[in-house]
Amino acid sequence: MNQEIRLFGAIAVRPAILALIPRFETGTGFTVAVRWELNPTVKKQIEAGEAFDLVITNPDLVQDLTASGKVKAGSQVAFGRIAMGVAAKAGSRPLDIGSVEAFEQALKSARSIAYASEGTSGGYFSGLLERLGIADEVKPKLVAIPGGQTAPAVGRGEAELGVVPVTSILAAAPDVVLVGRFPEELQSYVDFAIGISADSTDAEAANQLSAFLMSAAVDDILAARGVERR
């Protein structure tokens, strides 16, 4: 039996998954080797031949990987979803983003706003500015941050605010605080699913890890780190 499980996941779920892996390793004796990239990169690298046993990324990307024969058919399960939030540097003045109007005003008043230039959340935010009709006013303030580093960039003072999945904001504490989630009318949840490699060297071990990540026993840990179950 191969004692190492290769997990390839999206950066947004990294803080939650890393909190769970030690418990799984202790309980099973397996070792989990992890790799993290932005959602589109996960798909591209698997398609290019990256070896993995279990993947966690957007459901549509898992479906694409299943169609291309990279993920085992029937192995996909819905893992959870992550809300979009606004980050600020610790110690910043309180900010109201509880309504659409307050959210718009906060963006228009900010000196600079960091966003994930290559990720799912960044694409949604750019489209949201257009939908709200404030793109021309806000876009000159945007600071594109690559590689899942949006929240830490706010902590370093590279931007006054950041828009990024809540998991990333919570993980950047204590340097960064969660101002709040997007107003419900504007909220976009980033969904995640698990899939098992069609070429896994130890499919049973991968199945065990998938079942562990889907178990109700870890729901509270996931919730504390920003992952919501359906």
Side-chain angles (χ1 to χ4, degrees):
M1 178 181 291
N2 177 20
Q3 294 295 306
E4 183 176 84
I5 304 170
R6 299 162 297 179
L7 187 157
F8 196 6
I11 286 173
V13 298
R14 175 174 57 188
I17 300 298
L18 289 180
L20 299 177
I21 286 176
R23 179 185 293 193
F24 175 79
E25 291 179 330
T26 299
T28 64
F30 292 115
T31 298
V32 181
V34 296
R35 182 172 179 186
W36 310 102
E37 296 285 355
L38 294 171
N39 282 297
T41 305
V42 171
K43 177 175 179 283
K44 289 177 184 176
Q45 293 191 356
I46 288 177
E47 289 175 336
E50 178 74 25
F52 72 104
D53 295 300
L54 186 134
V55 63
I56 307 178
T57 188
N58 298 146
D60 59 324
L61 301 185
V62 178
Q63 291 166 15
D64 290 346
L65 292 169
T66 302
S68 65
K70 297 294 186 179
V71 167
K72 180 182 177 182
S75 70
Q76 179 172 341
V77 289
F79 175 64
R81 66 182 189 177
I82 302 172
M84 289 286 291
V86 175
K89 190 172 183 178
S92 301
R93 60 181 176 82
L95 191 63
D96 174 23
I97 60 167
S99 67
V100 174
E101 294 75 15
F103 179 81
E104 289 184 11
Q105 186 57 44
L107 296 181
K108 291 189 286 188
S109 299
R111 295 185 301 276
S112 54
I113 305 165
Y115 77 108
S117 58
E118 302 164 337
T120 306
S121 66
Y124 172 75
F125 181 62
S126 295
L128 178 61
L129 295 178
E130 297 286 352
R131 178 154 61 95
L132 293 174
I134 60 174
D136 290 344
E137 187 172 356
V138 174
K139 282 191 173 181
K141 306 177 182 184
L142 297 185
V143 180
I145 305 293
Q149 292 297 305
T150 306
V154 173
R156 294 191 297 267
E158 295 172 20
E160 182 181 359
L161 299 178
V163 289
V164 69
V166 168
T167 45
S168 299
I169 300 173
L170 296 176
D175 299 325
V176 173
V177 294
L178 174 63
V179 174
R181 289 165 171 78
F182 282 24
E184 195 57 44
E185 302 95 318
L186 307 179
Q187 185 58 262
S188 175
Y189 293 94
V190 185
D191 288 294
F192 292 90
I194 296 173
I196 295 172
S197 172
D199 299 315
S200 175
T201 54
D202 194 339
E204 178 54 36
N207 275 307
Q208 285 189 44
L209 179 55
S210 177
F212 170 77
L213 295 175
M214 292 303 301
S215 67
V218 304
D219 284 358
D220 288 347
I221 296 173
L222 292 176
R225 286 162 177 79
V227 176
E228 304 175 17
R229 296 289 206 188
R230 283 291 194 179

